[in-house]
Amino acid sequence: METSTVTYSSSPPPSSSPPQQAEQAADLDAVSLGRLSANLERLLDPAFLSCADANVVLAAGGDDAAAVVGVHRCILAARSSFFLDHFSNKLADPAAAGEKEKEKERPRLELADLVPGGRHIGRDALVAVLGYLYTGRLKPPPRDSAVCVDERCPHEACRPAIDFVVESTYAACGFQISELVSLFQRRLSDFVNIALVEDIVPIVHVASTCQLHELLSQCIQRVAGSSVDSRYLEKELPDDAFAKVKEFRRYSLHDDSDEFILDPEHAKKVRNIHKALDCDDVDLVGLLLQESAITLDDALAIHYAAAYCEPKVLALLLKLDPAGDCVNVNLKNDSGYTPLHLACMRREPQILLSLIEKGASVVERTQDGRDALTICKRLTTEKDCNKKLEKCKERSKAYLCIDILEQEIKRKSFIFEELLSAEVSVATPLLVDNFHMRLINLENRVAFARIFFPSEAKLVMRIAQADSTEEFAGLTSANFSKLKEVDLNETPTMQNKRLRERLDALTKTVELGRKYFPHCSDVLDKFLMEESTDLHFLESGSAEDQYTRRTRFSELKEDVRKAFSKDKAVAAIASSTSSSSPRGDGKVSRHGHKKARLSR
């Protein structure tokens, strides 16, 4: 027979003093309470489900063991006035005539109906709060449920950590455990100060539902003071919270936000397009576009569909632009998000596939430096990615989204590794990086030349046969989507040959430009060394940066005009000198003598 590791004595040892006796008694109590807590905590383990006398069913429902938590009514009633009242009312007021027969069955407590916000509570958060009722101790959250899968994330305020505390707050507030509500409220308050504004949205909801007024006020001030798009907030926040955000923005330093400067007529047309998308009526969207001058990009329709519509609606919306000429799937909204970024926040695999097939770039980054894969990983728990296939169940959508993005990144990397591989022997072998950067620099240089003197640049490109080679899109964020045009049936040798021909043609174009337009070439050299060589640099940065760059660009145009005039003047002088040179006279003289001889 197993003996207990704790021994009891009717009297303390003779040598023990009163302070020592008190210390020993305290140690004994601590050991006893610790063992009691550990034993009671085991009752919440799924292995003890058969010992429970009631089931708490999560919002997911079903008979899956993961959706059911077995509880013991006597323990909950003794520890919580909420459960005492709930179980007493159930026994005192049978709902049907056959209730006595049903009392023998185990009661099912539907969590969605049991407490406000119950449909948001997950199993791990519920077990943590119930564990406090059983043991009097609050354990740290399980790592696989409260930590994202991004290894570079510090996990201080990533979305899984926030969601776990939010779910726990719903449970603690619903079960009327005031000490836990205060604890969780302080943790959420810390999150509000450091988390992304988009991740504060669930905190706003729990603060509104549980009437945590101080926390709600803190959230509203943080959200209102951000640059997050008002259309997004209107869709995501509770109505009363959004009204307070609007009011705060109206009377704060942020009264220059989009909602106050947009043309009302334009805003109305955009709202009509969004309403049509809410109704899944893509045909109506097409009619609205035809009747107005607004485009899909103007209405941020792709962003809206990626965030809120069914995958089939987005697919149909993308088909309104079959040639890809009128829709920029890499367009960023006021918050710096592309449609792919919003799709990653939603974690809907079909939408990701539709956007990537249309040319969405996986390397585009948000204003704080996150790409699509990072966004998706920081929303995903380790549990979502570690679930094994059981009973023919599919992987989680979060797992599929991460897999799609990783495969796309590998595919892009493979394309460029093959394009720039050393399989083709060239006359002057170049390092891959040098080859790539030189080609991009040449493309941008020739592009600027075509802007400043298009006719002459076109002529020089024709002479250098650059107009017969294919433009290289490069790896810049603005041009990465053009990689979808690469023919995957093209062999690496053919691809390298095509790029080499383009490099040689552009090099010859620049050399001819230097020969015939030396002053213009010098101006371009100086400009390209001082400024960004990306043609999209005029559209990037803040409004102040754009104004400065546009001013600099205007000055450059004037410098190029003056340089071009000098080049034309030099060419004119050279031409007149050549026509009056002795060599030219000699040619005429010799022809004259030849003609004289023929006449004789």
Side-chain angles (χ1 to χ4, degrees):
M1 181 176 179
E2 183 181 0
T3 59
S4 172
T5 58
V6 181
T7 59
Y8 296 87
S9 176
S10 58
S11 61
S15 60
S16 298
S17 63
Q20 290 176 331
Q21 295 176 19
E23 184 177 349
Q24 291 174 357
D27 291 341
L28 182 61
D29 289 342
V31 171
S32 300
L33 289 174
R35 172 168 290 190
L36 175 62
S37 294
N39 290 336
L40 289 174
E41 187 177 21
R42 293 177 63 194
L43 294 176
L44 293 172
D45 192 284
F48 287 85
L49 184 61
S50 59
C51 300
D53 61 4
N55 289 337
V56 178
V57 184
L58 301 179
D63 297 326
D64 191 347
V68 176
V69 177
V71 296
H72 306 78
R73 288 178 287 179
C74 58
I75 296 178
L76 293 181
R79 292 278 291 149
S80 167
S81 58
F82 169 82
F83 281 107
L84 176 61
D85 295 340
H86 179 78
F87 294 137
S88 299
N89 293 335
K90 279 283 185 179
L91 293 174
D93 184 23
E99 188 68 23
K100 291 184 179 180
E101 290 76 9
K102 293 184 178 180
E103 285 177 5
K104 298 178 182 180
E105 300 177 3
R106 185 180 301 176
R108 290 171 59 90
L109 308 179
E110 300 289 343
L111 192 56
D113 302 326
L114 187 63
V115 295
R119 62 187 181 88
H120 301 293
I121 303 174
R123 178 184 177 84
D124 292 319
L126 175 63
V127 170
V129 174
L130 290 177
Y132 176 79
L133 289 178
Y134 273 63
T135 67
R137 298 183 304 177
L138 183 65
K139 293 183 63 176
R143 178 180 175 82
D144 61 351
S145 297
V147 171
C148 72
V149 296
D150 184 11
E151 296 177 352
R152 295 174 297 177
C153 177
H155 306 305
E156 295 177 351
C158 57
R159 186 60 174 269
I162 293 175
D163 286 343
F164 185 87
V165 181
V166 165
E167 293 173 15
S168 301
T169 305
Y170 278 120
C173 185
F175 299 154
Q176 301 174 13
I177 311 174
S178 58
E179 62 272 24
L180 283 189
V181 174
S182 298
L183 174 63
F184 294 144
Q185 185 173 1
R186 289 195 297 272
R187 291 185 182 178
L188 292 176
S189 179
D190 293 337
F191 286 143
V192 172
N193 294 327
I194 60 177
L196 295 170
V197 175
E198 290 80 1
D199 291 337
I200 296 176
V201 170
I203 303 180
V204 175
H205 280 277
V206 71
S208 178
T209 301
C210 299
Q211 298 183 5
L212 305 177
H213 303 296
E214 184 177 347
L215 178 61
L216 181 60
S217 177
Q218 181 187 2
C219 291
I220 288 174
Q221 291 186 33
R222 174 75 198 284
V223 172
S226 71
S227 60
V228 174
D229 185 65
S230 294
R231 287 183 287 267
Y232 171 83
L233 296 178
E234 183 178 11
K235 195 77 174 178
E236 296 291 337
L237 297 181
D239 292 340
D240 56 343
F242 178 67
K244 292 179 181 178
V245 169
K246 286 183 63 177
E247 183 179 1
F248 189 93
R249 283 185 169 182
R250 194 185 308 274
Y251 296 105
S252 70
L253 297 177
H254 295 268
D255 58 358
D256 58 344
S257 57
D258 288 345
E259 60 180 314
F260 300 112
I261 62 175
L262 280 177
D263 177 20
E265 187 63 26
H266 175 90
K268 180 179 179 181
K269 294 176 181 178
V270 170
R271 283 196 301 271
N272 289 337
I273 292 175
H274 291 176
K275 289 179 181 178
L277 289 173
D278 287 335
C279 298
D280 298 343
D281 196 339
V282 179
D283 292 336
L284 179 57
V285 173
L287 293 175
L288 292 173
L289 293 174
Q290 293 177 4
E291 294 175 356
S292 65
I294 292 181
T295 65
L296 289 174
D297 287 347
D298 294 335
L300 294 175
I302 305 300
H303 292 77
Y304 191 88
Y308 306 114
C309 295
E310 293 293 325
K312 63 179 182 180
V313 175
L314 176 67
L316 292 173
L317 192 64
L318 292 172
K319 289 182 180 179
L320 289 179
D321 179 42
D325 298 329
C326 301
V327 175
N328 179 9
V329 290
N330 293 311
L331 178 68
K332 292 185 176 181
N333 61 13
D334 296 334
S335 301
Y337 291 141
T338 67
L340 187 63
H341 293 154
L342 297 177
C344 289
M345 293 179 184
R346 184 178 173 181
R347 290 178 291 177
E348 179 54 62
Q350 293 184 46
I351 291 181
L352 262 67
L353 287 173
S354 295
L355 290 171
I356 290 174
E357 184 179 351
K358 191 68 173 179
S361 170
V362 293
V363 299
E364 286 284 356
R365 294 185 178 272
T366 61
Q367 295 174 353
D368 57 359
R370 291 172 297 146
D371 58 14
L373 182 59
T374 301
I375 291 174
C376 207
K377 282 187 171 182
R378 293 194 179 182
L379 292 171
T380 305
T381 64
E382 292 183 357
K383 179 177 288 187
D384 286 333
C385 284
N386 293 336
K387 287 181 179 178
K388 297 180 180 179
L389 290 175
E390 297 177 356
K391 299 179 181 179
C392 301
K393 290 184 179 179
E394 296 181 352
R395 289 281 194 178
S396 66
K397 287 187 176 182
Y399 175 88
L400 292 176
C401 287
I402 291 175
D403 187 55
I404 290 170
L405 294 171
E406 288 179 339
Q407 293 298 325
E408 180 66 10
I409 291 173
K410 289 179 182 178
R411 190 179 75 86
K412 297 296 187 185
S413 300
F414 173 78
I415 292 174
F416 271 95
E417 286 174 2
E418 292 296 318
L419 284 174
L420 305 178
S421 65
E423 287 188 28
V424 180
S425 59
V426 291
T428 55
L430 297 171
L431 292 176
V432 169
D433 289 343
N434 292 338
F435 180 90
H436 169 240
M437 292 306 300
R438 186 180 176 190
L439 192 52
I440 290 178
N441 291 335
L442 287 172
E443 288 283 5
N444 282 288
R445 182 187 180 85
V446 172
F448 274 112
R450 293 173 66 183
I451 291 175
F452 294 129
F453 30 95
S455 300
E456 290 75 12
K458 185 177 181 181
L459 177 61
V460 172
M461 290 185 70
R462 186 180 301 145
I463 295 173
Q465 297 183 347
D467 59 345
S468 62
T469 58
E470 184 179 350
E471 181 181 355
F472 177 61
L475 278 174
T476 59
S477 61
N479 290 329
F480 197 90
S481 62
K482 293 183 180 180
L483 293 178
K484 66 187 177 66
E485 299 171 1
V486 174
D487 185 5
L488 296 180
N489 295 323
E490 199 176 22
T491 65
T493 300
M494 296 169 60
Q495 293 168 339
N496 283 317
K497 180 180 179 181
R498 173 168 54 79
L499 289 180
R500 183 67 197 193
E501 289 176 351
R502 181 65 176 177
L503 178 69
D504 293 339
L506 292 178
T507 302
K508 186 175 181 180
T509 300
V510 172
E511 290 174 354
L512 289 173
R514 291 188 187 281
K515 179 178 180 181
Y516 295 108
F517 307 98
H519 294 89
C520 289
S521 297
D522 291 339
V523 173
L524 282 178
D525 286 340
K526 183 178 179 181
F527 174 74
L528 294 175
M529 289 179 63
E530 294 177 350
E531 305 290 342
S532 169
T533 59
D534 188 356
L535 280 175
H536 295 76
F537 80 110
L538 293 175
E539 307 297 334
S540 62
S542 63
E544 184 178 356
D545 292 338
Q546 292 182 28
Y547 176 79
T548 302
R549 291 169 180 172
R550 290 180 186 277
T551 304
R552 176 70 182 94
F553 194 76
S554 299
E555 295 173 355
L556 174 66
K557 291 176 66 176
E558 181 63 20
D559 293 340
V560 170
R561 188 187 64 79
K562 294 178 181 178
F564 186 63
S565 299
K566 289 182 181 180
D567 288 333
K568 288 178 65 176
V570 171
I573 294 173
S575 177
S576 61
T577 303
S578 175
S579 63
S580 60
S581 64
R583 183 180 178 184
D585 293 339
K587 285 183 179 181
V588 174
S589 177
R590 286 196 297 271
H591 283 295
H593 288 310
K594 185 177 180 181
K595 185 176 182 179
R597 288 195 299 270
L598 289 174
S599 62
R600 289 197 296 267

